[in-house]
Structures are given as C-alpha cells and as structure tokens.
Amino acid sequence: MELDERKLKILQAIIKNYLETGEPVGSRTISKYTDLNLSSATIRNEMADLEELGYILQPHTSAGRVPSDKGYRLYVDNMMREKENLIIKKEIEISDKEKEVEELKEFLVEKVDKVETLLQNMAKMLATNTNYATMVSVPKSQGKRLKFIQLSAVDSDKILCVMVLEGNIIKNKLLDIDEELDNETILKLNILFNSSLNGLTLEEINLGIIAKMKGQAGEQLELTKKVIDAVAEAMSTEEDLKIYTSGTTNIFKYPELSDSSKASDIINTFEEKQLLTSLINKEDDEQGGIQIYIGNETPIHTMKDCSVVTATYELEDGLKGTIGIIGPKRMDYEKVVETIKTAKVQLDSLYKKRPSSSDDYDMTLDDSNEE
Amino acid sequence: MELDERKLKILQAIIKNYLETGEPVGSRTISKYTDLNLSSATIRNEMADLEELGYILQPHTSAGRVPSDKGYRLYVDNMMREKENLIIKKEIEISDKEKEVEELKEFLVEKVDKVETLLQNMAKMLATNTNYATMVSVPKSQGKRLKFIQLSAVDSDKILCVMVLEGNIIKNKLLDIDEELDNETILKLNILFNSSLNGLTLEEINLGIIAKMKGQAGEQLELTKKVIDAVAEAMSTEEDLKIYTSGTTNIFKYPELSDSSKASDIINTFEEKQLLTSLINKEDDEQGGIQIYIGNETPIHTMKDCSVVTATYELEDGLKGTIGIIGPKRMDYEKVVETIKTAKVQLDSLYKKRPSSSDDYDMTLDDSNEE
DNA sequence: GTTAGCACTCGAAAAGAATGAGTGCTAATT
DNA sequence: AATTAGCACTCATTCTTTTCGAGTGCTAAC
C-alpha cells in the first residue's frame, strides 16, 4: 500500500485537527474539515489504511484516531518544511521576522547587563510566549584558551587568583597561603604564570610546561602547585554546566501530561538539571541548527510523552549553547519552531550587531556579582 | 470550657495518629490508641469539646477528626517543646547529634570546594532525608565592606575590575575602555581606588568621597565613573538573591497536595524563586532560630495547605542565610525540626571548626568558575 | 462521670443504565 | 473500481442507584 496524495492530505487534516483539539478525531470530522469532498465512509477506509501504515493510532475501538510518533514525524519533516520554503520566498515575512527580533532584543537587553540574566530571561520569555516548558543552557568554557591570569594579595593568609578565558569568561579562586607574600614575589609569579600559560588550552598545558614552571617557582613551589590546580579546575569541563529552565508548570496545561506520576517525573527532570544535558550539544546542524525530537525520539526517557525542539546558538565564536522547548507531543510545532528560530537568531546576533557605543553591559559569562 | 490534661492527651493522640496515617481519626481508634482506658463514647464527648474549642475539625459529618491549624500550633508549641527539653537533659543524645553533624559534614564537604555547591547539596540532602521540598538561601553580601579592589588590563579595549568584599565574596566586572592604558596608569588608579574605597560599605561611599576620587582621576575620569558604577553594582543588594531548591516533586507524595492546580501553584513558587524571599530574613531568633509556619501562617499564599519550617544559619560573621523545609501540614514536625537543627548547626560550625590545614576548598561565595 | 446501645449520616466504592461518538462491514450507487 | 449510504456493534464517559461501613450524636442505664 502506498501513501498517496489523498492519504497525505487526510493525515495532515487529522494531525492539524488533533493539534487544535487534543481529542481523537473521527471520520466525520475530517470529511467536513477538508476540501476533499469525501464521505465519512471513504475517510474511514483511508483511515484504516493510514493506521495499517502506522501513521495513526486508535486509543481504543470506537474512538477516533490520534497521530502516532511516525505520523508526527512525517508531518514535521514534510508538511512543515513546505511552510519553511514559503517563508524563504516571501521577503515580507523576513523583514517581519527581523522586526520581531529587534523587539525581542530591546525587551531582553533593556536593563540587563549580564548574559546569564539575559539567558534566564530568555527562558522565561519563551515559556510565557509558548506555554511550554523551556530550557536554555549556558555556553561552556570547555576548550577555551587562557587569556590572562593574575594573583593578588587580599589578606595576610589569602591570595586571589583571577583567570580570564577566551570569550571573556572570568573565574576566581581564593588560595590559602602559609606566609604573607611581598609585592615583588607576587609580581614575579604573575609574570611567570602569564608567560607560561597564556594562550594555552587545558590540553596544551602539559607536564613539560608544568615541570618548567615548577622549576622556576623557587620558594613558592607550594603556591605554584595550588595555582596550577586552580587553573586546571577553572578550565576543566567538570561541573561546567549551567542550565536555566522556566515554565515547567506549564505542563499542567496539558491533561495528557498532568497526571501526578508523569508530571512528577518531568518536573523532576527539570529540577535535576544535569538530566537535561543529553539535550544539549548535539552538533547536527541540519535544518539550520534546529532539532525536533518526538516522543520516544528524545534522549531523555522521562519525556517519552513529550516533544522537544532545540536549537544551538552561538554567542561569540565557539561559545555555543542550546535553547530547548518541551511540550506535549501535540505541541504547535510551527509556532515553536518559529519562536525558537527567532530566539536563536537573536542570541546569535546579540554581540555581532551590538552597538559599540553602548558600554552599559558587559559581555562576560561571569556571574560572580550576583552574590 | 477548659483544655484539661485529658483533652490534651486526646488531642495529642489524634494528631500523632493523623500524622502517621493521614486519615481522619475516629473515637474508637483513640480509645484503643491511648493508655487512658476510656470508651469510645467518652472520647466522642471529649472530641466534640475539642472541636468546639477549635483544635480539631470534621471534614464532614460521620467522618473522624482532623487537626486544625490551631491544633497543630498547640502541638508544635507545647508537645514538641517537651521533647526538646528532654534532649537538653540527655547528654547522650547531644553527643549522638554531634556525631550526626560530623557525618553530615564529611558527606557534604567531601569533594566540594564551593559554598554554593555545598548549599545546593545541602538542599538536596535535606530533601532526600525528609521527603519534603527544601530551600536554602545563599547569604547576602548586602552591607559588607569592600576589602580589595583591583583593575587589570585584559584586552586592548577591556579592563577587568575585581572586587573582594568582607567574607571573601568576590565580584568581577569587565569594563570597556576607549584607549589602551599603560601599566603605570593602572597602578595609579589601583592605588587611588584602594585608598579611597577600602573598608567602606556601600552607604559609606558618599558623594564627598566620589567627588574626591573624580578629582584625582585626571584623564581617566570616564573609567573612574565606570569603576564607581561597578562597585555600586557589586555591593548593592539588587538582584542579590540566590536560593537553591530541591525535592519539589516530593509534594506528589502527599495526596492532599498533588491535585494538579495545587501542585502547579506550589511548584511554580519554587521555580520563581523570588517568591520565596518572604520566607527568609525573618530575624526572630526565638527557639534557637527555628520558625514554624502552619498552613495560613506562612507568608506565601500558595502554601496555605503546607507547613514550613525555617532556620537561620550564619556562615561567617554576618553572612546569614535561611534553610527551609516545606511539606504538608501533617508533616513530621519532630523529624523536620531535628533535621533542620542539625543542618543549621552544621552550617554554623562549618567555618569555625574547619581545620586550617585543609586548603582544598576555598571559602568564597563566588561561583564564577562554575561557568 | 462513664459507658452501652442504637438510629442516623454521609462519603466512597461498586453496580447498573443511558448516551453517543465512532467504527467496520455490506450492499447499493456512480 | 471507487464511493457512499446504511446499520449493527463497540466502548469510554457520564449519570444514577445501591450498597457499605466508619463514625457520629444522643439517650438511658450504670
């Protein structure tokens, strides 16, 4: 049996209708809904075929049909892509979109001077706009080069070690010392560290370099070891994960997700944010960096009744993060894809287009002055 | 009508039983449950009195009785305090508790080198131990003095401004500059800022001091202004709120909270963490810093069906935060109070008792190297 | 003051009945 | 050969009815 034009139309009608109502849709509904002018009986026959092909399901005998994961997949891959082509053709829509981007940007950037806060607001905004749950991951500093390192005496028994990585990621570490150091020693150490380590990635800081540094450390061997540890910690990827979530309680708006055990599982996944890591960093850039996972396709088992749409954004070169929108399988894919694209474009362009005159906000990913 | 000894005993029995079962308790249950040796009929009469006095409620005629908020309050105030006195008397129990503290401390401190992570783990541990939802607020840096400030040239067009506040709270800010500065200028500015601002609180940095600094800034007036802004931002209390939550999905374990609209409200409150602020910073130090809010007593309306137990802890002098446990009104108050006390003691003693030899972790509240 | 006894209440659970949306199949129609 | 009208059948949902029993309040006796 083949999936001919007519079956496709019927399938599309079923899915459209189901997205709107959330109820299983019957043959009579479709016979009225479409412009095919077919009787319900014919539709019924076609539906039986579609079911056999695996695109739709019957929750039980004598109920209407519901799209299967395979059905959604077809819908998303084919029918939505048509829409996308349309957009590319229509210049008007593009400028509309740009306008939207500008508006969003203004909203977001206004009074916000930290990327982290901005991302957090982005998550919140997406959640409010879409009525789904959202996540935004903060770009990882993994693999970045060390740009700057400096020790400063803060206390008689404490040394502050500040490191700046590529992308202006700032890291701090306070080190205990046994005896107070004079300025000259600190200066000497700063020169040592900067000349030895600057411009290197974590991988490039090898034993040879470390040994050489230790050799030059003189009396400050202990401190040097601590600094090297601090650098390693700052540049390593461990616990290097920050994800903002928002709108998790939106799932209660969808009955198919709001029974307490399902809801609990899903919300728990959002609370234990590290469970969301499998959603980020999928480097597949097909379709302009947008991924759509339907039902069991999601890498997270607790979300088997959900669909997930993600996009990868890039703040500055190499600083990549992920935006995700999570809703029921019958989510409004078109709207979600549109929204997430807009958000992606916005974040991508944030620093490229940023007017250089505005020095009100800084671009670091550091958030140490939130506390 | 008076609340005599016997009524009190019956009330206590009702509450105890209700805490265990979560079901309305009837007269027959109590007549067997207590050592009073009274018939169910007598209990019934007493119960009618207790209801008239407002300590218990009947969900409907022909149901058993359920404690009212007033009943819980009495229970918590009186019956639990007796228990507390017992503990003070029993030396054994104290040493037991100390042992527990040590165990917890080891668990928490192990492999943890940041206070923030530690507090986050603390929230998680409390949630796992109690099966309730928990929150831990991070101490605010508000009102702290500036201990150290330093500018460093990072880029040709960027200056890094590092500030350290009392309590070793580190804050960073990257400033844009128009033209590159030579080392000498930076050194001069550093001396200026340190000598002008160190040891001051935000309030003490008044217009006079600012004017004087501006006067000495020379050609670097613009940069000086930016630094002053950065200092103000770093030391101000705005957006100075960080709360970790955990175990929010535990509320699904209690049917009286898990219908979707209630659960949604509660979980939303935990997601929008600023809604929890009203729970922190209540300075009332009655009862060793432990507060108990029952039902409508909680300052947060969405939690009217919950009880909240909070404690204030103090890391270093003046660095105060709040721990909170949120559960159903029929929570196990004794256990929760015990647990939260232990946690409080633990946090309080964390830095006082800390062995000076261990330099593995730093004490800053800064978390900039999480990302 | 306490208790046994009894009629009564009322929610929860089980059982039954009505409804109706939707199906599959067959036979007639185009 | 494809389409459609017609009809018997299915089954979740909803509403009503019944049953059940835990628990009460009250009265009269101890």
Side-chain angles (χ1 to χ4, degrees):
Chain A
M1 189 168 12
E2 279 280 298
L3 190 66
D4 57 25
E5 183 76 11
R6 197 171 73 174
K7 284 191 174 53
L8 210 65
K9 267 195 174 164
I10 292 173
L11 177 59
Q12 187 165 19
I14 293 172
I15 296 180
K16 274 254 171 81
N17 196 284
Y18 187 70
L19 293 188
E20 283 166 18
T21 66
E23 297 286 307
V25 343
S27 52
R28 241 177 82 79
T29 314
I30 294 303
S31 84
K32 279 185 271 179
Y33 198 86
T34 61
D35 52 352
L36 291 169
N37 273 336
L38 292 172
S39 75
S40 62
T42 313
I43 303 283
R44 271 203 291 285
N45 291 330
E46 294 290 57
M47 279 169 123
D49 290 353
L50 282 170
E51 184 164 6
E52 205 178 318
L53 288 167
Y55 293 109
I56 51 180
L57 297 172
Q58 244 180 329
H60 57 85
T61 341
S62 90
R65 300 310 209 289
V66 159
S68 69
D69 285 11
K70 188 176 169 190
Y72 281 124
R73 174 50 60 200
L74 191 74
Y75 173 76
V76 164
D77 284 351
N78 289 54
M79 302 153 186
M80 291 215 350
R81 196 165 288 176
E82 286 170 29
K83 181 86 191 282
E84 192 171 326
N85 293 335
L86 273 179
I87 291 174
I88 290 174
K89 278 164 198 153
K90 286 193 193 164
E91 290 296 322
I92 313 124
E93 291 210 21
I94 283 195
S95 72
D96 269 13
K97 201 166 146 194
E98 293 230 322
K99 209 175 123 205
E100 201 182 340
V101 171
E102 285 309 314
E103 280 171 10
L104 284 170
K105 197 189 276 188
E106 267 175 44
F107 165 73
L108 275 181
V109 167
E110 193 192 356
K111 291 231 161 200
V112 166
D113 67 343
K114 297 220 146 303
V115 175
E116 311 247 327
T117 318
L118 184 144
L119 294 178
Q120 209 165 351
N121 284 351
M122 173 66 89
K124 195 173 286 183
M125 201 199 59
L126 290 175
T128 327
N129 275 358
T130 58
N131 275 319
Y132 301 121
T134 62
M135 53 149 280
V136 175
S137 84
V138 179
K140 294 203 289 182
S141 56
Q142 187 186 11
K144 295 281 151 211
R145 292 173 191 287
L146 185 67
K147 204 159 127 183
F148 175 81
I149 179 168
Q150 181 171 51
L151 301 185
S152 324
V154 172
D155 249 343
S156 59
D157 61 344
K158 284 197 181 57
I159 287 270
L160 174 65
C161 175
V162 182
M163 292 153 277
V164 180
L165 310 190
E166 273 184 313
N168 291 328
I169 300 162
I170 306 171
K171 310 239 177 184
N172 305 106
K173 176 114 182 157
L174 217 49
L175 306 172
D176 290 331
I177 49 173
D178 302 324
E179 54 189 33
E180 198 161 354
L181 298 179
D182 56 62
N183 282 335
E184 208 169 326
T185 314
I186 293 179
L187 192 61
K188 226 180 66 190
L189 286 169
N190 275 330
I191 293 172
L192 170 62
F193 292 132
N194 273 293
S195 59
S196 309
L197 299 175
N198 279 5
L200 301 184
T201 65
L202 185 60
E203 289 72 35
E204 290 165 0
I205 302 178
N206 56 34
L207 281 179
I209 291 176
I210 293 174
K212 199 171 155 201
M213 284 173 67
K214 283 185 182 167
Q216 293 177 15
E219 294 190 0
Q220 299 306 324
L221 184 58
E222 274 311 304
L223 180 56
T224 304
K225 280 182 187 169
K226 281 180 194 169
V227 171
I228 293 172
D229 282 350
V231 170
E233 188 191 316
M235 297 180 71
S236 83
T237 175
E238 248 176 75
E239 75 162 73
D240 184 26
L241 160 83
K242 217 175 227 170
I243 295 177
Y244 295 114
T245 60
S246 187
T248 52
T249 50
N250 277 334
I251 65 164
F252 287 109
K253 289 175 179 153
Y254 310 98
E256 65 266 46
L257 301 179
S258 44
D259 87 66
S260 72
S261 89
K262 272 185 204 169
S264 174
D265 283 352
I266 297 176
I267 294 174
N268 197 54
T269 308
F270 279 89
E271 188 179 286
E272 307 259 347
K273 299 182 199 302
Q274 75 272 23
L275 296 176
L276 295 169
T277 33
S278 48
L279 286 181
I280 71 181
N281 251 344
K282 303 274 174 184
E283 292 281 345
D284 297 15
D285 256 27
E286 44 149 337
Q287 272 218 67
I290 308 261
Q291 273 87 45
I292 302 181
Y293 305 100
I294 295 158
N296 280 310
E297 296 172 8
T298 63
I300 303 174
H301 180 251
T302 48
M303 291 183 175
K304 65 183 165 47
D305 297 312
C306 302
S307 280
V308 181
V309 179
T310 66
T312 307
Y313 67 88
E314 185 167 1
L315 281 186
E316 293 178 85
D317 34 293
L319 278 188
K320 285 186 182 178
T322 301
I323 324 170
I325 297 183
I326 295 94
K329 288 203 284 191
R330 61 174 171 97
M331 64 161 54
D332 184 340
Y333 292 95
E334 289 191 14
K335 185 181 168 191
V336 167
V337 170
E338 271 315 295
T339 310
I340 216 167
K341 258 186 206 166
T342 313
K344 171 194 163 65
V345 170
Q346 190 186 348
L347 289 178
D348 282 347
S349 65
L350 200 53
Y351 288 121
K352 287 163 198 160
K353 292 191 184 174
R354 191 163 137 270
S356 63
S357 68
S358 112
D359 49 346
D360 242 1
Y361 23 96
D362 77 51
M363 288 152 62
T364 73
L365 282 170
D366 170 82
D367 62 345
S368 57
N369 38 359
E370 273 172 32
E371 178 47 59
Chain B
M1 189 169 15
E2 279 280 297
L3 190 67
D4 56 27
E5 183 75 11
R6 198 171 72 175
K7 284 192 173 54
L8 210 64
K9 268 194 173 164
I10 292 172
L11 177 58
Q12 187 165 19
I14 292 172
I15 295 180
K16 273 253 169 83
N17 196 284
Y18 186 71
L19 293 187
E20 284 166 19
T21 66
E23 297 286 307
V25 343
S27 52
R28 240 176 82 79
T29 314
I30 295 302
S31 83
K32 280 185 270 178
Y33 197 86
T34 61
D35 54 350
L36 290 169
N37 274 337
L38 292 171
S39 76
S40 62
T42 313
I43 304 283
R44 271 205 289 285
N45 292 331
E46 295 289 57
M47 280 168 121
D49 291 354
L50 282 170
E51 183 164 7
E52 204 179 316
L53 288 167
Y55 293 109
I56 52 180
L57 297 171
Q58 244 180 329
H60 56 85
T61 340
S62 90
R65 301 310 210 286
V66 159
S68 69
D69 285 11
K70 189 177 170 189
Y72 281 124
R73 174 51 59 201
L74 190 75
Y75 172 77
V76 164
D77 285 351
N78 290 52
M79 301 153 186
M80 293 219 345
R81 196 164 289 177
E82 285 171 28
K83 181 88 191 282
E84 192 171 326
N85 292 336
L86 272 180
I87 291 175
I88 292 174
K89 275 165 200 155
K90 285 192 194 165
E91 292 294 323
I92 313 124
E93 290 209 23
I94 282 193
S95 71
D96 270 12
K97 202 166 143 192
E98 294 229 321
K99 209 174 122 204
E100 202 182 339
V101 171
E102 286 308 314
E103 280 171 9
L104 283 170
K105 196 189 275 185
E106 268 175 43
F107 165 73
L108 275 181
V109 168
E110 192 191 357
K111 291 231 159 199
V112 167
D113 68 343
K114 298 220 146 301
V115 175
E116 310 246 327
T117 317
L118 185 144
L119 294 178
Q120 209 166 349
N121 284 351
M122 173 68 88
K124 195 173 287 184
M125 201 199 58
L126 290 175
T128 325
N129 276 357
T130 59
N131 275 318
Y132 301 121
T134 62
M135 53 148 279
V136 175
S137 83
V138 178
K140 295 203 290 182
S141 57
Q142 186 186 12
K144 295 280 152 215
R145 292 173 191 286
L146 186 67
K147 205 160 126 182
F148 175 82
I149 180 168
Q150 182 172 48
L151 301 185
S152 325
V154 172
D155 248 344
S156 58
D157 62 343
K158 286 197 180 55
I159 286 271
L160 173 66
C161 176
V162 182
M163 293 153 275
V164 181
L165 311 189
E166 273 182 311
N168 292 328
I169 300 161
I170 306 172
K171 310 238 176 184
N172 305 105
K173 177 113 182 158
L174 216 50
L175 306 172
D176 289 331
I177 50 173
D178 301 326
E179 53 189 32
E180 196 162 356
L181 297 179
D182 56 63
N183 282 335
E184 208 169 325
T185 314
I186 293 179
L187 192 62
K188 227 179 66 188
L189 286 170
N190 275 329
I191 294 173
L192 168 62
F193 293 133
N194 273 293
S195 60
S196 309
L197 299 175
N198 279 5
L200 301 184
T201 65
L202 185 59
E203 290 71 36
E204 289 166 0
I205 302 177
N206 55 35
L207 280 180
I209 290 175
I210 292 175
K212 199 172 154 202
M213 283 173 66
K214 284 185 182 166
Q216 294 178 15
E219 294 191 358
Q220 298 306 323
L221 185 57
E222 273 312 304
L223 180 57
T224 304
K225 279 182 186 167
K226 281 181 193 169
V227 171
I228 292 171
D229 282 350
V231 170
E233 188 191 315
M235 298 179 73
S236 82
T237 175
E238 246 176 76
E239 77 163 70
D240 186 24
L241 158 83
K242 217 176 229 172
I243 295 178
Y244 294 115
T245 59
S246 186
T248 52
T249 49
N250 277 333
I251 65 165
F252 287 109
K253 290 177 179 152
Y254 309 98
E256 65 265 46
L257 301 179
S258 44
D259 85 66
S260 73
S261 90
K262 270 186 204 169
S264 174
D265 283 352
I266 296 175
I267 293 175
N268 197 55
T269 308
F270 278 88
E271 187 179 288
E272 307 260 347
K273 298 181 198 304
Q274 74 271 25
L275 296 175
L276 295 169
T277 33
S278 49
L279 285 181
I280 72 180
N281 253 343
K282 304 275 172 179
E283 292 281 344
D284 297 14
D285 257 29
E286 44 150 336
Q287 272 218 68
I290 309 263
Q291 273 87 45
I292 302 180
Y293 306 100
I294 295 158
N296 280 310
E297 296 172 7
T298 62
I300 302 173
H301 180 251
T302 47
M303 292 185 175
K304 66 182 163 46
D305 297 312
C306 302
S307 280
V308 181
V309 179
T310 66
T312 307
Y313 68 87
E314 186 168 359
L315 280 186
E316 292 178 84
D317 34 292
L319 278 188
K320 285 185 183 180
T322 302
I323 324 170
I325 297 183
I326 296 93
K329 288 204 284 193
R330 61 175 171 97
M331 64 160 54
D332 184 341
Y333 292 94
E334 288 190 14
K335 185 182 167 190
V336 167
V337 169
E338 273 315 296
T339 309
I340 217 169
K341 258 186 204 164
T342 312
K344 172 195 162 65
V345 169
Q346 190 187 347
L347 290 178
D348 283 346
S349 64
L350 201 53
Y351 289 120
K352 287 162 199 160
K353 291 190 184 173
R354 190 162 140 271
S356 63
S357 70
S358 114
D359 49 346
D360 242 359
Y361 23 95
D362 80 49
M363 287 152 64
T364 73
L365 282 170
D366 169 82
D367 62 345
S368 57
N369 39 356
E370 274 172 32
E371 179 46 59

